[in-house]
Amino acid sequence: SSHGDKEGVKSHDNQTVSIGELQAPFLGDSLACMAGSPKIFIIQACRGEKKQPGVDRADEEPGEEGTMDMSDVMRSVTTPRDADVLVAYATTEGCQAYRRVGEGSWFLSEMLEVFKARRQSDHLLDMLTEVNDRVSHRETVNSNPAKQMPCQVST
């Protein structure tokens, strides 16, 4: 757990380190033995000062799924530099991440609970989707309630 802002994560001496700087030593052009291997970064830090409000929504209708013509897909024998990276953020860009005294951060506590229960049966992204859902149902308890929405970026 650390502090952060839209520029990155704060170090122990209050210097900002961007997510790109954290990832760079592990990418294929810096560490060839990591090319083709998954790299997972879990970032528990605020990404800005904004508080994310809750929004009322109407029931949604299921949409149609698109189709993809596989004849348009070309294969390559090289691996892109930024391939095989997953970054799990505690919150969306520009927003705060919350914690509860005695329990810890919403994101990490829900992640630990989901991973303990489903680690042997479920895919990582399915577990992270469950974490997103659980955290999204939490709300700060004060005069100005706020929400938190974790997100993942993968290549």
Side-chain angles (χ1 to χ4, degrees), residues 106-150:
W106 294 359
F107 179 60
L108 292 180
S109 61
E110 295 292 1
M111 181 181 286
L112 288 172
E113 192 172 309
V114 169
F115 283 20
K116 280 181 188 177
R118 298 171 55 180
R119 70 184 179 274
Q120 294 185 354
S121 61
D122 289 4
H123 187 277
L124 176 62
L125 290 177
D126 293 333
M127 291 188 292
L128 288 171
T129 299
E130 175 70 19
V131 170
N132 289 0
D133 183 61
R134 289 180 179 209
V135 172
S136 74
H137 285 93
R138 290 187 177 216
E139 187 170 83
T140 59
V141 182
N142 57 32
S143 61
N144 187 16
K147 305 288 280 180
Q148 179 177 329
M149 187 68 240

Side-chain angles (χ1 to χ4, degrees), residues 4 23 26-27 34 60 63 74 94 100 107 126 129 133 147 150:
Q23 293 175 357
F26 302 97
L27 299 179
M34 291 296 289
E60 297 177 19
M74 295 180 65
R100 184 174 176 188
F107 179 60
D126 293 333
T129 299
D133 183 61
K147 305 288 280 180

Side-chain angles (χ1 to χ4, degrees), residues 3-80:
H3 294 287
D5 57 27
K6 64 182 179 178
E7 303 301 322
V9 179
K10 299 289 183 182
S11 65
H12 70 281
D13 59 353
N14 208 33
Q15 299 297 309
T16 300
V17 180
S18 74
I19 302 306
E21 289 175 277
L22 290 173
Q23 293 175 357
F26 302 97
L27 299 179
D29 62 345
S30 297
L31 192 59
C33 66
M34 291 296 289
S37 297
K39 293 155 279 289
I40 301 170
F41 299 86
I42 299 172
I43 311 298
Q44 170 53 52
C46 292
R47 297 180 71 196
E49 296 295 322
K50 293 190 297 189
K51 292 184 187 252
Q52 197 169 122
V55 212
D56 292 327
R57 63 184 173 126
D59 289 337
E60 297 177 19
E61 293 292 321
E64 292 183 27
E65 293 188 26
T67 59
M68 183 157 98
D69 183 356
M70 294 306 287
S71 65
D72 292 335
V73 177
M74 295 180 65
R75 298 244 177 231
S76 174
V77 294
T78 60
T79 300

